[in-house]
Amino acid sequence: MTGLLVGAVFGAVFVLVNAGGPLGGAVAGVLRVAACLAAAGVVAMWFMTVRGERRSGQPQGPGMYGRGYLLIVLAEVVLLFGGLRVLAALGAPEQANVAWVAFVVGVHFVALAPVWKDWTIAVPGALLALLGVAGFALAGTSALAWVPIVSGVASGVVLLAASLTTGWRTMAGLSAARA
C-alpha cells in the first residue's frame, strides 16, 4: 500500500501543478479538488489497511525496496534531471518538461514490474510513458499549451485511478481474508 500512497501523492501533484491553461479556471479547479479527494481516499485506505494488517497479524509482505528498486530509482533521478538539462540545452519549450517527467516516471513503473513481480504496475507505467510521448508530439505544434494537460493532468489521473483501484482491491482482499 505504501507504493499506492506514493503514486497517489505524485498523481495529485501532477494534476495540481498542470491543471490550468486551456482548460479554464472552473474545470481546472474541479480537477484539482477531485485529485485532492482521490489522494485523500488513498491515504484513508492506507491507514485502514495498515490497521487491519496489524490487527490480523498478517505479515507486511516482502521488502519491495531492495537493490533492484534502488537502482531503478537512481536511474530515474539521473534520467529526470539529466533529461531536463538536455531539453533546456536544446531549447525545447518549457512545456516539454512535463512530457519528459511523465515518460520517465512511466518507464520507471514498467521497469519495476519484474523487480516487484507485479505486472499490474506496468499498465499505468505504459500509459504514462505514452502520455509523455504524446506530449512531446504536441510540443512541436500549435497545440503546445495542451502538453501539460496531456502529459501532466492525464498522467495524474492515471496514477490516481490506478492507486484508488488497487487500494480498493487490496482492502476488499483483506476483508475477505478476515471473513
Side-chain angles (χ1 to χ4, degrees):
M1 284 294 290
T2 301
L4 298 180
L5 188 61
V6 172
V9 167
F10 278 103
V13 169
F14 261 121
V15 174
L16 293 172
V17 169
N18 294 294
L23 289 179
V27 173
V30 168
L31 285 169
R32 287 182 177 122
V33 168
C36 290
L37 290 173
V42 174
V43 169
M45 285 188 275
W46 183 82
F47 277 111
M48 290 187 290
T49 301
V50 168
R51 186 173 32 172
E53 287 174 347
R54 285 186 184 150
R55 269 194 223 144
S56 69
Q58 196 172 5
Q60 298 289 326
M64 295 174 57
Y65 305 105
R67 183 177 178 201
Y69 169 81
L70 293 175
L71 290 172
I72 289 169
V73 169
L74 177 63
E76 179 184 26
V77 169
V78 169
L79 286 170
L80 274 174
F81 292 105
L84 292 174
R85 293 193 83 147
V86 168
L87 288 172
L90 294 173
E94 187 177 317
Q95 294 88 335
N97 291 348
V98 71
W100 178 247
V101 171
F103 178 78
V104 172
V105 171
V107 170
H108 141 265
F109 281 120
V110 173
L112 280 175
V115 171
W116 284 351
K117 295 174 182 50
D118 180 2
W119 289 99
T120 61
I121 66 169
V123 174
L127 289 173
L128 262 66
L130 289 172
L131 289 167
V133 170
F136 277 122
L138 291 174
T141 71
S142 62
L144 177 64
W146 286 94
V147 173
I149 308 307
V150 170
S151 295
V153 173
S155 291
V157 169
V158 166
L159 285 172
L160 287 163
S163 296
L164 283 168
T165 302
T166 305
W168 189 260
R169 288 182 182 156
T170 300
M171 284 185 53
L174 287 173
S175 295
R178 278 187 242 140

